[in-house]
Amino acid sequence: MSLSRHINADEVIEKSKDHPHRKHTVHRQHHSWRRDEDSSLAPKYTMPKFGLPSKSAYQLLHDETALDGNPLLNLASFVHTWMPDDANKLIMENINKNLVDLDEYPAASIIHNRCISMLADLWKAPKEGKVIGTATAGSSEAIMLGGLAMKKRWQEARKAAGKDHYHPNIVFGANAQVALEKFARYFDVETRLVPVKPDNGFIMDPNDALQYIDENTIGVMVILGSTYTGHFEDVDLMSKLLDTLQADTGLDIPIHVDAASGGFVAPFVYPQLKWSFDIPRVVSINTSGHKFGLVYPGLGWILWRDEGFLHKDLVFELHYLGSTEYSFTLNFSKPAAPVIAQMFNFLNLGFDGYKSVATKDLRNARMLSRALESTYFEILSNIHRPIIEKTTGPLEIATHAVHNLTHNVDDPEAYEPGLPVVSFRLSSEFKKENPHVQQAWVQSMLRTKGWIVPNYNAPKGAEDIEILRVVVRETLTEDLTERLIVDILEVTESLMGSENALSVQASSKGMHQPDQEHGRPDKDNFGDGQLEGGKKQEGFARQC
């Protein structure tokens, strides 16, 4: 297999060996074990005829995976990467259990159902209803199930009315995570993307969504926590507009809330925010246990406000595992360990613990936002902006915001609601003074320091805007946030001035950037050394 576009690296490596065909391999006895000798016998792209000793197989893969990035410094991902030792022990004790086998593993099944009950209570499911839900492999599977349930109910209603049921469509913002588009494409549902606007946080405006809805719309998916900027879409407003639409046209359009990230943030730090099952039009909600649920990948959850919203065609009755069981997931076998790990977090952290983690994440995100906004960047996310700046509602709301800002600046409710995400871009002033600088260079140069900070284009409606983004997870401590601020300022200042520009352009060789080619700063020119003024920057970061 060629590993290079123009040169077959495998051939080059083979020709460079003393014994290309390994006919004369010498087994040196002074090694405690035959590390190179054993690994040299393992083909890379075909099944080995004979197996390696377990220690050799372990060491071979251990060494190769050392090339992966450090999960601690991967600020591009929402996925959680750390759990306490007790949780790790519990996971290993249950890693061989299959959750679908309820008869064989009844304790795991009970724990699963308790998780569903706790989430239903957290998301304000109506007590009079029969809430139903399941664990999934992640939010992608959960979204598929939520979409399928809406499609099946729409088709059944259309058949009963004697109307066409072959052309369903679904409405959501262009800022949607790819899983939403996957659902539509995989299950033959027309996607109706609502373009976003920069002045609305690059998320769907419910008023704009109305024009895409018709009698073939199976539902609207509203995103509680955009992957682009962390903004929350307005579920309550969307519901009220759909209420008005139903009164005017008779169309009864349900809402599915994609709370992949926000489902484990909003209940703890924004308890007054209306987004969940306390809105009657919300029929289903999904979330990712492996994001702000603080569990390793992959674990997702989906709940329906009542079993009537889970169409009977999606439920299968099984008899061949020892008892009568019911399945309504896309995949059959599913590890029990992540579900047990989720229950560990529920018990270990409790409501107050989750609130403490989310509050800390938001605090660090605000510090990062303020530091960047006061230097060379424009901040596109909103969680550092006090609510009072945009409050136009009743006097008591404004008074509450003022009270929070005056007496408790650490209270997330004093600020615009959103995920602990910092989305930013180079300011207009910086770009005017440094027109040669390409924003993607910041991403590339941060990578040389170990940080993974993505640079990407905004969604449909604002495609020409590039965004840098940092996801502040539990593992990004205040100390690391301060270090990140210093490193961002260092690499940005190193790009300023004509001399640096020439150095960057001379070393640029075709690094990919969405929609254009751009240069890649050479590490020799922009290394990890402390720049002049670094101490001043670090002091600044600590003050923010």
Side-chain angles (χ1 to χ4, degrees):
M1 178 181 290
S2 176
L3 303 180
S4 173
R5 184 181 299 272
H6 303 294
I7 298 174
N8 189 318
D10 288 344
E11 292 181 3
V12 173
I13 293 170
E14 191 67 24
K15 291 177 181 179
S16 302
K17 295 179 179 178
D18 289 336
H19 303 286
H21 302 293
R22 303 186 183 121
K23 292 181 179 179
H24 308 291
T25 302
V26 178
H27 298 309
R28 298 176 176 84
Q29 299 302 316
H30 63 272
H31 286 171
S32 60
W33 56 283
R34 306 187 317 174
R35 179 172 180 158
D36 278 355
E37 287 81 352
D38 283 341
S39 63
S40 68
L41 299 175
K44 289 184 173 62
Y45 305 110
T46 59
M47 179 78 73
K49 185 175 182 180
F50 301 104
L52 301 179
S54 60
K55 187 172 183 179
S56 298
Y58 164 81
Q59 194 65 44
L60 177 64
L61 293 173
H62 173 84
D63 292 346
E64 286 194 6
T65 54
L67 295 170
D68 284 339
N70 183 349
L72 184 71
L73 305 182
N74 182 3
L75 309 182
S77 177
F78 288 82
V79 175
H80 193 66
T81 57
W82 175 87
M83 293 193 75
D85 289 341
D86 288 333
N88 294 332
K89 181 180 179 182
L90 197 60
I91 289 169
M92 293 309 300
E93 290 173 355
N94 293 277
I95 202 167
N96 58 349
K97 294 181 180 178
N98 188 357
L99 188 64
V100 75
D101 198 340
L102 307 183
D103 189 61
E104 184 69 21
Y105 307 115
S109 175
I110 291 171
I111 290 171
H112 169 273
N113 294 340
R114 286 169 59 197
C115 286
I116 294 294
S117 179
M118 290 182 181
L119 286 171
D121 180 68
L122 190 67
W123 294 343
K124 303 178 181 179
K127 303 299 182 183
E128 65 276 9
K130 295 183 178 179
V131 65
I132 190 171
T134 183
T136 60
S139 274
S140 292
E141 182 188 2
I143 286 168
M144 306 283 175
L145 292 171
L148 280 171
M150 290 195 296
K151 178 183 177 182
K152 289 291 185 180
R153 290 186 69 245
W154 174 83
Q155 287 178 323
E156 185 176 66
R158 298 285 287 182
K159 289 177 184 178
K163 296 181 179 180
D164 169 68
H165 59 278
Y166 296 106
H167 300 91
N169 67 67
I170 191 163
V171 176
F172 48 80
N175 57 303
Q177 207 263 1
V178 68
L180 279 68
E181 293 191 65
K182 277 187 175 182
F183 156 72
R185 190 180 302 180
Y186 288 175
F187 294 103
D188 295 322
V189 177
E190 178 193 352
T191 300
R192 294 191 171 177
L193 289 179
V194 182
V196 302
K197 295 173 289 191
D199 59 1
N200 192 41
F202 303 93
I203 58 174
M204 179 183 73
D205 184 333
N207 292 285
D208 294 340
L210 290 178
Q211 62 184 294
Y212 295 90
I213 296 172
D214 59 25
E215 63 178 0
N216 291 323
T217 301
I218 65 173
V220 178
M221 287 189 171
V222 185
I223 303 168
L224 194 77
S226 170
T227 57
Y228 286 85
T229 58
H231 281 72
F232 288 169
E233 293 181 345
D234 196 332
V235 184
D236 192 31
L237 176 58
M238 188 75 258
S239 177
K240 290 175 179 176
L241 292 174
L242 291 175
D243 289 344
T244 302
L245 181 69
Q246 183 176 5
D248 293 341
T249 66
L251 295 177
D252 185 9
I253 308 297
I255 292 175
H256 172 87
V257 177
D258 174 19
S261 297
F264 274 111
V265 173
F268 303 108
V269 291
Y270 308 116
Q272 304 305 316
L273 184 68
K274 287 195 68 173
W275 66 273
S276 55
F277 288 130
D278 53 342
I279 299 175
R281 197 169 288 276
V282 174
V283 299
S284 51
I285 302 172
N286 72 274
T287 195
S288 292
H290 62 230
K291 292 180 180 175
F292 293 102
L294 308 181
V295 176
Y296 296 128
L299 176 67
W301 299 96
I302 181 167
L303 273 66
W304 289 268
R305 67 180 303 114
D306 186 85
E307 60 185 6
F309 292 101
L310 176 62
H311 196 274
K312 61 182 183 298
D313 284 355
L314 300 180
V315 182
F316 293 84
E317 186 174 309
L318 313 173
H319 302 280
Y320 47 77
L321 291 177
S323 64
T324 300
E325 299 167 7
Y326 299 90
S327 173
F328 48 93
T329 53
L330 295 181
N331 67 312
F332 189 61
S333 293
K334 186 183 287 89
V339 172
I340 296 170
Q342 185 75 84
M343 179 57 74
F344 171 88
N345 279 343
F346 287 171
L347 297 175
N348 178 239
L349 292 172
F351 187 95
D352 190 63
Y354 270 104
K355 179 179 179 180
S356 178
V357 171
T359 299
K360 184 266 296 182
D361 291 345
L362 287 163
R363 181 192 310 125
N364 289 337
R366 288 196 299 271
M367 178 177 69
L368 176 59
S369 299
R370 293 166 182 156
L372 297 180
E373 192 168 51
S374 64
T375 55
Y376 309 117
F377 298 93
E378 173 190 351
I379 305 301
L380 305 175
S381 46
N382 66 337
I383 46 85
H384 67 299
R385 297 192 174 97
I387 284 181
I388 192 171
E389 290 183 0
K390 297 177 66 175
T391 297
T392 57
L395 178 61
E396 59 269 20
I397 297 178
T399 303
H400 175 69
V402 172
H403 175 82
N404 281 338
L405 285 172
T406 304
H407 296 87
N408 186 7
V409 294
D410 200 35
D411 183 0
E413 287 194 283
Y415 303 89
E416 292 289 324
L419 299 177
V421 166
V422 181
S423 295
F424 56 105
R425 62 175 177 169
L426 292 171
S427 67
S428 299
E429 182 180 358
F430 180 92
K431 288 187 285 188
K432 181 178 179 181
E433 295 176 355
N434 304 274
H436 59 277
V437 175
Q438 297 183 26
Q439 186 168 286
W441 292 349
V442 177
Q443 170 189 350
S444 178
M445 293 174 66
L446 285 173
R447 189 64 179 263
T448 68
K449 293 176 176 289
W451 302 106
I452 301 176
V453 177
N455 182 75
Y456 50 87
N457 289 91
K460 181 180 178 182
E463 301 94 327
D464 58 332
I465 296 177
E466 288 184 74
I467 301 174
L468 290 157
R469 188 197 66 202
V470 169
V471 180
V472 180
R473 306 195 309 272
E474 182 185 11
T475 49
L476 189 64
T477 62
E478 181 177 350
D479 181 67
L480 282 175
T481 305
E482 292 174 0
R483 184 66 251 173
L484 174 63
I485 292 169
V486 173
D487 285 345
I488 291 175
L489 296 182
E490 282 185 357
V491 301
T492 305
E493 289 189 350
S494 72
L495 292 170
M496 298 166 65
S498 58
E499 184 177 344
N500 283 336
L502 293 174
S503 298
V504 171
Q505 291 167 355
S507 61
S508 301
K509 292 295 180 182
M511 179 180 174
H512 176 71
Q513 177 187 11
D515 299 331
Q516 63 178 335
E517 293 295 318
H518 62 81
R520 180 173 186 171
D522 188 85
K523 189 174 180 181
D524 292 336
N525 294 328
F526 304 104
D528 290 341
Q530 181 79 5
L531 294 184
E532 184 179 355
K535 292 183 179 179
K536 180 179 179 181
Q537 291 172 355
E538 184 166 5
F540 165 77
R542 292 184 180 277
Q543 292 170 12
C544 292

